[in-house]
Amino acid sequence: MTARKMTFGLIVGTRGCFNAKLAAEGREQLKKKMEGLGYDYVILPKDATPTGVVEGRDDGVKCARLFSDNRHKIDGIIVVLPNFSDELGIVNAINGAKLDVPVLLQASDDYLDKLATDQRRDSFCGKISVANNFYQYGIKFTDTTYHSYAIESEEFSADIRRFERVCRTHGG
């Protein structure tokens, strides 16, 4: 018997004082990763928000609505932080959707040669902030093997495969 193909709700975050281009690139990298691993996904259309990703309450509400409309097929939610990201937009997306599915939280690395204002990610600290808000709002989540790493990394692929097993166990 072949296992059913998993579908993940994808949230990519950004924050106004950080370069939204990094988040847009992260969005495309994440979609490519999911397709390469053979997963289906639900993600806000690129033109649904000013930056193409979740930044702030209004974007979180849009994402929550999309996830809620697709609740019958979403097995888990993967949150990717290509830069620091707006934790309340992400929390609003997850809380508003009311899916009761597992959540995976990933953050991207900064590179020592790319710390100028237009290249700095600060996802390491952003992940701490998002995780703290998850705790405050009672959102249980799965952490990644490493605190931060590249979306294209094999470590992230392995964490997604492990997360798939968490979702299959949760969903029965």
Side-chain angles (χ1 to χ4, degrees):
M1 182 170 110
T2 305
R4 181 181 63 79
K5 192 174 187 177
M6 300 293 284
T7 300
F8 297 109
L10 305 180
I11 300 174
V12 179
T14 194
R15 172 166 256 152
C17 59
F18 290 89
N19 187 345
K21 180 180 177 216
L22 297 172
E25 290 169 358
R27 180 185 193 281
E28 295 311 309
Q29 292 166 349
L30 179 59
K31 287 172 47 180
K32 184 176 179 183
K33 164 98 42 196
M34 300 309 288
E35 291 161 6
L37 293 172
Y39 297 114
D40 286 335
Y41 56 86
V42 175
I43 189 169
L44 277 173
K46 193 175 185 176
D47 62 354
T49 68
T51 58
V53 298
V54 174
E55 178 184 6
R57 181 189 180 285
D58 291 344
D59 296 348
V61 169
K62 289 176 188 176
C63 186
R65 191 174 312 118
L66 175 69
F67 285 4
S68 184
D69 290 348
N70 288 278
R71 72 175 45 258
H72 62 283
K73 58 182 166 182
I74 295 177
D75 300 296
I77 297 171
I78 299 175
V79 178
V80 171
L81 310 176
N83 62 28
F84 190 95
S85 300
D86 185 298
E87 61 278 3
L88 293 178
I90 293 166
V91 165
N92 278 303
I94 294 170
N95 266 353
K98 296 180 178 28
L99 299 185
D100 188 33
V101 296
V103 175
L104 176 68
L105 178 59
Q106 183 272 353
S108 297
D109 282 331
D110 263 319
Y111 299 99
L112 293 178
D113 63 336
K114 295 182 178 177
L115 295 177
T117 305
D118 65 331
Q119 298 171 319
R120 184 165 180 83
R121 296 177 181 277
D122 203 19
S123 302
F124 188 98
C125 292
K127 186 174 182 181
I128 293 168
S129 182
V130 170
N132 183 53
N133 275 267
F134 282 177
Y135 176 75
Q136 291 175 24
Y137 283 82
I139 299 170
K140 296 177 184 172
F141 69 98
T142 299
D143 199 2
T144 51
T145 302
Y146 299 105
H147 188 78
S148 62
Y149 50 53
I151 294 169
E152 301 98 332
S153 70
E154 181 51 42
E155 291 85 3
F156 188 35
S157 296
D159 280 339
I160 293 170
R161 288 186 202 102
R162 180 174 52 96
F163 183 62
E164 173 190 359
R165 294 189 299 274
V166 169
C167 294
R168 285 194 188 281
T169 302
H170 180 271

